[in-house]
Amino acid sequence: DTVLASGTLADGSTRIEFDSTELEVGDNALTVRHTAGDVVSSAPVVVTVEKAPATLTATVNNTRPAVGANQVVATATVTADGFVPTGFVVAYVDGNLAGAGELEDGSARINLGTFGTLGVKEIELLYVGNGTTDQASGVTRVTVVKAKTTTRVRITPSTVRADKTTPTATVRVSSWRQKVNGKVTVRIGGFSETVWLKNGRATVKLPKISRPGRRLVVADYLGAAKFEPSGGSAQFTVRK
């Protein structure tokens, strides 16, 4: 038999304390023995050991990721009284399984990737527990927003002859890690034309200019379901 602890009677009683980590989770049948000279008496006692409670804190690296662009990484920090929990954490996004990770020094990082739709997403991180530690969960949220865009304009040729040369405006609209769709409006003086982007690019034939000088061309990307609008401009020279 293994002796967990002992004590000395005082006025017919004693208090015995022992480390519960020596016992298994669940009901443990123990025996309390009293020895007085050659007389030994004993009594059974059942000690129930419950799993240790844990607390999980859920965080993310970006609470406002751009749709289709920014990767979201969720971090679960699991704590318990007196020890560092071990085991696995499972991630759910709006109730759907999205990933899992193993605790290391009490925390786990789970890459959830990018989100393809706009709006608020609920992220639940669930620590599944182990033989000695109970389950715990935490919830955080992110708001997926439209992706930012950049509009650039190029005029060819950069120098034209008055009333003779027809310049072309080439517009490129870009966004991080994805191709942009939608429409762009090109303006110069009283001229304006709206065209569709194809693979993030559009071209517009500009009118001939009669007066020499520097001319400004403005391009406005109008935005789309997943992309924010943006604008750009370029200049070219008109000579006699």
Side-chain angles (χ1 to χ4, degrees):
D1 292 345
T2 300
V3 178
L4 297 177
S6 62
T8 302
L9 287 175
D11 296 328
S13 66
T14 186
R15 179 183 177 90
I16 300 175
E17 296 183 359
F18 59 90
D19 188 355
S20 63
T21 59
E22 299 290 334
L23 304 179
E24 300 290 335
V25 172
D27 293 339
N28 294 263
L30 306 182
T31 301
V32 178
R33 290 194 178 95
H34 173 242
T35 302
D38 294 333
V39 179
V40 177
S41 58
S42 64
V45 62
V46 175
V47 176
T48 301
V49 178
E50 297 180 347
K51 288 186 177 183
T55 300
L56 188 150
T57 302
T59 58
V60 290
N61 64 325
N62 189 346
T63 59
R64 292 182 63 83
V67 61
N70 300 131
Q71 301 247 349
V72 175
V73 178
T75 299
T77 303
V78 183
T79 58
D81 189 14
F83 66 97
V84 178
T86 60
F88 290 87
V89 175
V90 180
Y92 296 90
V93 176
D94 291 337
N96 299 310
L97 180 64
E102 186 173 6
L103 289 176
E104 183 176 345
D105 295 329
S107 66
R109 288 166 52 87
I110 303 173
N111 191 335
L112 303 177
T114 61
F115 292 97
T117 57
L118 301 172
V120 178
K121 314 295 180 183
E122 183 177 273
I123 300 170
E124 180 186 12
L125 302 181
L126 172 66
Y127 169 57
V128 299
N130 56 25
T132 59
T133 312
D134 211 350
Q135 292 185 347
S137 64
V139 173
T140 187
R141 292 172 178 83
V142 300
T143 300
V144 183
V145 298
K146 290 186 176 184
K148 293 182 178 181
T149 61
T150 300
T151 298
R152 293 181 173 87
V153 185
R154 182 183 178 187
I155 308 300
T156 53
S158 59
T159 300
V160 301
R161 299 292 300 272
D163 287 328
K164 291 185 178 181
T165 311
T166 302
T168 299
T170 301
V171 182
R172 288 181 171 86
V173 184
S174 60
S175 184
W176 174 246
R177 299 180 65 182
Q178 50 193 330
K179 292 182 179 180
V180 180
N181 60 357
K183 294 180 180 180
V184 62
T185 297
V186 176
R187 296 180 285 112
I188 178 172
F191 171 85
S192 176
E193 184 174 341
T194 300
V195 294
W196 286 95
L197 292 171
K198 184 176 181 180
N199 294 324
R201 181 177 179 273
T203 59
V204 173
K205 288 286 187 180
L206 302 177
K208 294 177 182 179
I209 307 298
S210 58
R211 296 179 58 186
R214 294 286 286 174
R215 294 292 181 264
L216 177 68
V217 178
V218 176
D220 296 314
Y221 170 59
L222 306 181
K226 296 182 180 180
F227 300 104
E228 290 185 354
S230 61
S233 64
Q235 290 183 329
F236 66 100
T237 301
V238 181
R239 291 181 177 176
K240 291 182 180 180

